[in-house]
Amino acid sequence: MNAPRQGLFASLLIVSFALHTFLLVIATTHQLNENRASQGQLMTSQLVADSLTELEPANTVSLALLANRYATHPSVASIRILNANQQLLATGGMAKTRSGEVFVRDALQNEKKVGSIEITLIQPSIGEILRNQWLAIFASLFIHGLIWLAYRAVARPTRSEYLARINQENHLKHEIQRLTQTLALEKQNSVTLIAQAQQQAKAAPKPLTNQHSNNTAFAEDSILALSIQFDDHKQLLNSVNQSVSMPYFKLCQLFLDKSIALCSQHYQIDAAQIQLLEPFNAEGVSLSTSAEQPHALECLMMVGAVFQLLADVLYKRYREDKRFALQTRAAVANRVDAMQLDAVEAAKRLAQHLEAKQAALHLNHAQLKHIQDCYELVAMPNPSNIMTRQAFMINGMNEQCATLAQNLRTEILMGKKAKTIEESADISTP
């Protein structure tokens, strides 16, 4: 049971230790510079006072002895004693080749320059500073190590929390495996099933065409459409074969069918009124219904919300297992007369403007007013046409709708029977 985000916390501690060491070097360098300045001024003043009597006339032997005595100080790199004509009289120092800060002072006798003194004090390098400050650096490293151990001990989840999380993950994994096994059983007759799926895919749009042409079911203006698409910005669908993608599409279709069944039961709508225009494929899926039915709009939007939650669980689980999975996006729309788009085409076009896990809608004023209490809507960013200028993104739900969506998602994953409308009436009001 490891503490969460140990790697991130370790990175922060490493950055903190490096910053602390950097600040220690900066502070030490500043302190040494101040000490060196005061020491250089004091030593030049003392050397000028001691050598003043030996400069006029010049006594090179005494000056050399005097320079060597001052050069015994460990911080002195070199000493030069010059006469008034800048001729060298005496030198001293054990590290004449080292660079450092030079302090110069003139020797004056009766306001007459009789010579000058040059003292070079050693300027320590960063390596020398680190070597001299090893104890402080080691103490900082020790303290950061203690903080790391304390974090691992304090932030580590308790045994009950760890077991609860493991049990929940195992339960979700078991339910997804159960749904996958259901699809595997169907796949035993793959030749027959694929043939039937192709026939259904060809036959499904035809009733819709007849409805649009003859207006036998409901008027064109009252159609609402839901488009759910895959966010495939990495073009994964083009890199996997059909044997990998088809089982995944079937599992998504199973989740969608269960979402439609539970949502229509909650909102007291005949599930047959929500028409599946085409089964799940690489382009996603499209649904349509009539807005004239009571609560049809709320039901269609809840279907999209519940499926998005299910798709997110499926995506996380499949990615952990290194299996093919895609995130989804959803859009609900009615027809857009200004662009000559029916509801289905408008929903598809609107979904293409979204990113993963996002949802949007394009509705008339009355429909927006009807659902504004349940959903938090924000304007579409960077609109490019009249449809996106009139569309809104769903930024959140109220507590009742969010609770309902979570309960329906959990019910589908757990495989329980759908709750009755009376039992869920206290969760969300249609």
Side-chain angles (χ1 to χ4, degrees), residues 118-424:
E118 293 183 3
I119 298 179
T120 303
L121 297 183
I122 296 174
Q123 186 174 4
S125 63
I126 295 179
E128 293 174 327
I129 294 175
L130 292 176
R131 185 170 62 251
N132 293 332
Q133 296 293 331
W134 71 269
L135 183 60
I137 296 174
F138 179 78
S140 175
L141 179 62
F142 180 73
I143 292 174
H144 282 82
L146 289 180
I147 295 175
W148 163 249
L149 295 177
Y151 172 78
R152 291 192 63 184
V154 174
R156 180 180 299 171
T158 62
R159 183 174 181 83
S160 58
E161 293 175 345
Y162 177 76
L163 292 177
R165 186 179 66 183
I166 292 299
N167 289 335
Q168 183 180 8
E169 291 181 355
N170 289 337
H171 180 74
L172 292 177
K173 184 176 182 179
H174 173 72
E175 294 301 328
I176 292 177
Q177 287 177 350
R178 185 180 60 81
L179 293 173
T180 305
Q181 290 173 359
T182 302
L183 293 176
L185 293 175
E186 296 179 358
K187 193 177 179 181
Q188 293 178 356
N189 298 323
S190 58
V191 176
T192 305
L193 290 175
I194 292 175
Q196 292 177 354
Q198 292 176 348
Q199 293 176 359
Q200 292 175 358
K202 295 178 180 179
K206 294 181 179 179
L208 180 65
T209 305
N210 295 334
Q211 290 176 355
H212 281 283
S213 60
N214 301 326
N215 294 320
T216 57
F218 41 79
E220 178 75 18
D221 294 338
S222 65
I223 293 178
L224 290 173
L226 167 65
S227 177
I228 301 175
Q229 299 178 4
F230 293 112
D231 181 57
D232 190 21
H233 57 279
K234 294 183 179 181
Q235 302 296 321
L236 295 179
L237 283 171
N238 296 332
S239 61
V240 298
N241 54 37
Q242 195 174 21
S243 62
V244 175
S245 61
M246 285 299 294
Y248 181 73
F249 294 155
K250 290 182 180 180
L251 183 57
C252 291
Q253 185 65 50
L254 184 60
F255 276 149
L256 180 63
D257 293 341
K258 290 182 177 293
S259 301
I260 294 173
L262 289 183
C263 291
S264 60
Q265 182 179 357
H266 176 79
Y267 288 101
Q268 297 182 336
I269 293 178
D270 184 6
Q273 298 298 322
I274 301 178
Q275 298 186 357
L276 176 66
L277 305 183
E278 52 190 13
F280 252 107
N281 52 41
E283 302 297 327
V285 71
S286 296
L287 307 174
S288 69
T289 188
S290 172
E292 296 177 352
Q293 299 181 92
H295 310 307
L297 175 58
E298 299 98 308
C299 181
L300 198 63
M301 294 184 64
M302 186 56 65
V303 169
V306 173
F307 181 82
Q308 290 269 73
L309 294 176
L310 292 170
D312 187 49
V313 173
L314 184 62
Y315 176 80
K316 292 179 180 178
R317 178 56 59 191
Y318 270 37
R319 295 307 298 167
E320 288 179 0
D321 297 338
K322 307 298 182 182
R323 299 173 63 183
F324 169 75
L326 294 172
Q327 292 181 311
T328 58
R329 54 197 180 187
V332 176
N334 55 10
R335 64 177 301 173
V336 183
D337 293 330
M339 298 179 64
Q340 297 182 353
L341 298 176
D342 59 17
V344 177
E345 188 63 30
K348 290 182 179 180
R349 293 275 190 93
L350 183 59
Q352 294 172 359
H353 292 275
L354 304 177
E355 297 180 358
K357 301 170 64 174
Q358 290 184 342
L361 52 83
H362 177 278
L363 303 172
N364 57 41
H365 180 71
Q367 293 167 339
L368 289 173
K369 185 176 180 180
H370 184 63
I371 63 157
Q372 64 181 358
D373 294 335
C374 299
Y375 295 88
E376 179 183 352
L377 305 179
V378 296
M380 289 279 293
N382 304 320
S384 57
N385 51 47
I386 187 171
M387 179 180 64
T388 52
R389 284 195 295 270
Q390 297 174 354
F392 294 89
M393 291 184 60
I394 299 177
N395 197 37
M397 303 180 184
N398 62 14
E399 184 177 357
Q400 293 179 340
C401 289
T403 303
L404 174 60
Q406 291 287 347
N407 290 343
L408 293 179
R409 182 207 68 168
T410 303
E411 189 170 347
I412 293 173
L413 290 177
M414 295 180 65
K416 293 182 178 179
K417 295 182 179 180
K419 297 180 179 180
T420 60
I421 301 302
E422 291 77 15
E423 291 175 337
S424 60

Side-chain angles (χ1 to χ4, degrees), residues 28-39:
T28 303
T29 303
H30 178 71
Q31 185 65 33
L32 290 177
N33 289 338
E34 290 185 349
N35 294 340
R36 188 166 53 252
S38 60
Q39 184 182 22

